[in-house]
Amino acid sequence: MSSSVLVTGGAGYIGSVTVERLLTADCRVVVLDNLSKGHRSAVPTDVPFVSGDIGDIELVSGLLREHEVDSVIHFAAMSLVGESMEKPAEYYDNNVVRGSRLLSAMSAAGVSKIVFSSSAGVYGEPASVPILETARTEPVNVYGDTKRVFERVLEWQASATGLRHISLRYFNAAGASSDCGEDHSPESHLIPIALQAAAGTRSGLTVFGNDYDTPDGTCIRDYIDVRDLSDAHIAALKALDEGRSGIYNLGNGEGASVLDVIETAEAVSGKKVPWEYGPRREGDPARLVASARLAEEELGWQPLHPDLSDMIGAAWEWMQRFPDGYPD
Ligand code: UFG
């Protein structure tokens, strides 16, 4: 596939693995990232990198023209459920307002294809699992709502301008490639926290709530390997080229509870994860499990690493290689 792709948020966790995959697929890539969460060293030095804001229309339209970009993959966003409940205005500003300016810049530069990082967070507390894309969307946290609102912005922009758009609703990204992994500061995601607790670089882990309506009382999530997520973006670019627009879930269709993750982290690392129960975290739905059949049927995408221990094993290996995370 030879095309030129702008990756916003390409220095972040899922973005950086996707940049690797795009390069392997012979795409030309330019990365735009404000480095608020991303890491400069997660992007290979021979990939054009611009430190800047997706809301800067002049900068972005200039970049699109200069690099003769034909598609955008839009990762850049604030993405923490807990934080979103404390900073709603910042989340809507980043994820909706600035994202809309990115669309204006695309329109100004005549770029009409976008893959958008959406989230299982759009569903809120689902009536049943596995969740189909047609399920009701009633987010229970600010983060999920910003993603749902931006999906709507894309739909309206498409009717007005002919934009082609694919929104990928990720369930819980996990794992690592050999060079790129998860490094947030502070870390708030379950798997890296469990592995840090196993490695002894943090004292332990608090399980947020044990009174959910699930078999062991802890929240259930559908963990999906970041390498598989990245492959779905390549498939989405192809689908856009074929004239398709749409919304697709990306998950394995399997749920794992917080306690399942801890047990797997212990098995993979061969070490104990010290943990205790604490109160619920605000905004957490009890169960999020995907049906990704539509992505399989229409995008021809299939997860290659569906096994939780495979994902956690890849994250553990990355952590052994980079015990302090990225150097910057
Ligand atoms: N959890 C704990 N203790 C911790 C951290 C997390 O018990 O120290 C629990 C959470 O309460 C939740 C589960 O582990 O039940 C997973 O939590 P994460 O923070 O790892 O992930 P989230 O499910 O909150 O959110 C992630 C992404 C979102 C995305 C969502 C989709 O961060 O961007 O998956 O399911 F929207």
Side-chain angles (χ1 to χ4, degrees):
M1 189 168 60
S2 91
S3 58
S4 175
V5 184
L6 172 70
V7 181
T8 75
Y13 171 41
I14 309 171
S16 59
V17 180
T18 302
V19 168
E20 284 182 335
R21 285 291 201 262
L22 286 165
L23 297 173
T24 307
D26 277 338
C27 293
R28 280 178 292 135
V29 176
V30 51
V31 169
L32 173 66
D33 197 302
N34 68 5
L35 295 180
S36 62
K37 292 284 194 306
H39 303 273
R40 178 64 187 90
S41 57
V43 181
T45 45
D46 55 350
V47 171
F49 177 88
V50 177
S51 173
D53 195 303
I54 53 165
D56 184 339
I57 296 180
E58 209 174 313
L59 170 76
V60 178
S61 55
L63 264 182
L64 294 171
R65 289 196 186 97
E66 182 192 338
H67 293 271
E68 297 176 339
V69 166
D70 35 58
S71 314
V72 172
I73 304 185
H74 176 36
F75 292 100
M78 294 175 79
S79 64
L80 301 177
V81 169
E83 181 186 63
S84 78
M85 302 303 280
E86 288 155 19
K87 301 177 177 169
E90 265 187 63
Y91 268 69
Y92 286 102
D93 181 40
N94 265 285
N95 296 1
V96 179
V97 177
R98 291 172 203 226
S100 302
R101 292 208 208 128
L102 169 69
L103 299 184
S104 298
M106 287 174 63
S107 186
V111 176
S112 61
K113 290 178 284 183
I114 184 166
V115 180
F116 169 56
S117 297
S118 188
S119 167
V122 301
Y123 294 112
E125 195 68 68
S128 60
V129 293
I131 308 170
L132 294 167
E133 289 82 351
T134 47
R136 191 192 48 175
T137 51
E138 282 183 21
V140 292
N141 54 58
V142 170
Y143 168 67
D145 197 46
T146 63
K147 292 291 177 179
R148 182 64 191 121
V149 172
F150 196 71
E151 286 182 353
R152 291 211 183 99
V153 175
L154 287 173
E155 281 155 24
W156 289 113
Q157 182 76 354
S159 348
T161 68
L163 179 75
R164 274 182 264 158
H165 57 102
I166 289 186
S167 293
L168 299 175
R169 292 178 174 167
Y170 313 150
F171 282 62
N172 285 55
S177 69
S178 50
D179 289 330
C180 298
E182 197 165 9
D183 177 10
H184 302 110
S185 185
E187 188 52 75
S188 68
H189 293 90
L190 177 63
I191 291 176
I193 286 179
L195 293 178
Q196 286 166 2
T201 54
R202 77 164 60 223
S203 56
L205 178 161
T206 303
V207 175
F208 299 142
N210 63 341
D211 57 352
Y212 287 95
D213 183 17
T214 60
D216 66 19
T218 68
C219 288
I220 289 181
R221 294 288 180 273
D222 183 344
Y223 294 90
I224 169 84
D225 196 291
V226 68
R227 295 165 289 184
D228 289 334
L229 278 185
S230 302
D231 286 343
H233 294 75
I234 310 291
L237 285 180
K238 286 194 185 128
L240 286 173
D241 282 341
E242 291 159 12
R244 206 180 269 287
S245 284
I247 294 179
Y248 298 94
N249 288 338
L250 297 178
N252 280 306
E254 293 283 335
S257 72
V258 177
L259 297 188
D260 292 334
V261 168
I262 293 174
E263 200 178 300
T264 310
E266 288 183 333
V268 162
S269 64
K271 296 174 192 296
K272 273 280 176 230
V273 174
W275 64 272
E276 61 182 6
Y277 286 123
R280 287 184 176 201
R281 183 176 68 179
E282 202 183 343
D284 269 344
R287 281 172 202 256
L288 288 172
V289 179
S291 163
R293 187 175 293 175
L294 199 62
E296 289 173 17
E297 287 172 3
E298 295 191 358
L299 303 181
W301 171 80
Q302 192 97 46
L304 301 178
H305 307 278
D307 191 41
L308 186 61
S309 49
D310 191 3
M311 293 170 222
I312 297 185
W316 178 247
E317 269 173 40
W318 190 81
M319 203 181 266
Q320 303 310 298
R321 276 190 70 198
F322 304 96
D324 301 318
Y326 289 104
D328 50 323

